[in-house]
Structures are given as structure tokens and as C-alpha cells.
Amino acid sequence: DIEVDSIELAGRTFLEVKTHKGNPDDPKGRYEFGTLTSFAYPIEDSEEVLVVATTRLETMLGDTAVCIHPEDPRYKHLHGKYVIHPFNNRRIPIIQDAELVDMEFGTGAVKITPAHDPNDYECGKRHNLEFICVLTEDGAINHND
């Protein structure tokens, strides 16, 4: 958690970012946090997509799995399959984890970024996932060449 201060938010919240000049779209220079953003990962060798929701869209560059609940009937046909990262074409496994996924929250599919979230870290350890650090110590995008 070196790149963020961990703060529990009840929902959409505007906050200042100490290390940034300020949001020109907000009169007080604050940024929006605590809002779910959805995006779709294409399923490998399929026309289907798997929609995930996140409050930290910038960490999608370090996603190393998409997690579904093993008993979720919507996704049973995806067990053992892969999604394709839309920016770098990396194959990302679709894994099952009953401990992490709440079938009733969001889409029931969770992007896993083990290097940037404590819950994802634990899931990454359980499933032996790669840990990709997407932010440098000064908050810039790490190109991971």
C-alpha cells in the first residue's frame, strides 16, 4: 500500500490528492473516489466478455486474474478459461474463490491485482498469481518492460 492511503469510503467521495496539482474540473481541486467503474474483458476464443467493476481502474494494468465464485451459475461455463487483457493481450486466468467473491455485489466477477490490494494479495497467494506493480513510488505508471 505504498502508493495509496487506505481509507474506507461509504461511496462517492471527493478528496484532495496531496502529491497532485489538483483536478481542474473540480472548484476545490479534488478528485472523485469510491465510485465503481465497469469494463469488459474479452473471453479468449469467444465473442463473450466478462464485465468486472472496480474503484481503482488504474490498477487494471496489473491484473493477473479475474475471480468468480465457484458456485455462481452465471459463470460456471467459464471455469478454466482465460480473458485477454485489452491493452497488452496478456492471457489472464479466470479463477474461482469462494472466500473473496460476493456473488451479489457488482457483477460477481472481481479483477485481481495482487500487488495493489490487500484482499487481492491474499487471493494471489492462495492461487499462486503473478504480482505486477503498476505504479512507481512517485505515483507514475510503471511500464514493466
Side-chain angles (χ1 to χ4, degrees):
D1 273 343
I2 63 168
E3 81 271 2
V4 297
D5 292 329
S6 185
I7 302 170
E8 288 291 325
L9 302 175
R12 184 177 186 213
T13 305
F14 286 87
L15 299 169
E16 291 181 20
V17 177
K18 298 174 203 160
T19 59
H20 198 270
K21 297 175 198 166
N23 179 358
D25 297 328
D26 181 73
K28 295 182 180 176
R30 302 166 305 171
Y31 289 89
E32 181 179 14
F33 294 91
T35 302
L36 282 175
T37 301
S38 297
F39 68 95
Y41 272 122
I43 306 292
E44 183 179 52
D45 298 326
S46 170
E47 298 297 317
E48 189 177 3
V49 296
L50 184 54
V51 177
V52 297
T54 181
T55 58
R56 292 198 61 202
L57 187 58
E58 74 279 7
T59 64
M60 67 139 359
L61 298 169
D63 288 355
T64 56
V66 174
C67 194
I68 56 179
H69 195 285
E71 297 174 14
D72 192 331
R74 299 172 293 179
Y75 301 128
K76 287 260 187 198
H77 68 289
L78 297 178
H79 290 197
K81 305 244 184 213
Y82 292 81
V83 296
I84 303 298
H85 197 287
F87 296 155
N88 59 25
N89 293 319
R90 185 172 68 245
R91 287 177 84 218
I92 298 174
I94 300 170
I95 62 172
Q96 297 83 51
D97 192 301
E99 189 175 332
L100 179 69
V101 179
D102 178 352
M103 290 187 284
E104 306 302 317
F105 183 76
T107 64
V110 179
K111 62 185 246 17
I112 304 298
T113 316
H116 293 277
D117 179 88
N119 293 319
D120 292 3
Y121 173 84
E122 293 300 329
C123 182
K125 297 289 271 183
R126 283 193 300 277
H127 295 276
N128 298 310
L129 299 175
E130 182 180 4
F131 287 55
I132 300 172
C133 188
V134 298
L135 299 174
T136 63
E137 286 190 33
D138 62 353
I141 298 297
N142 183 355
H143 295 284
N144 290 304
D145 295 331

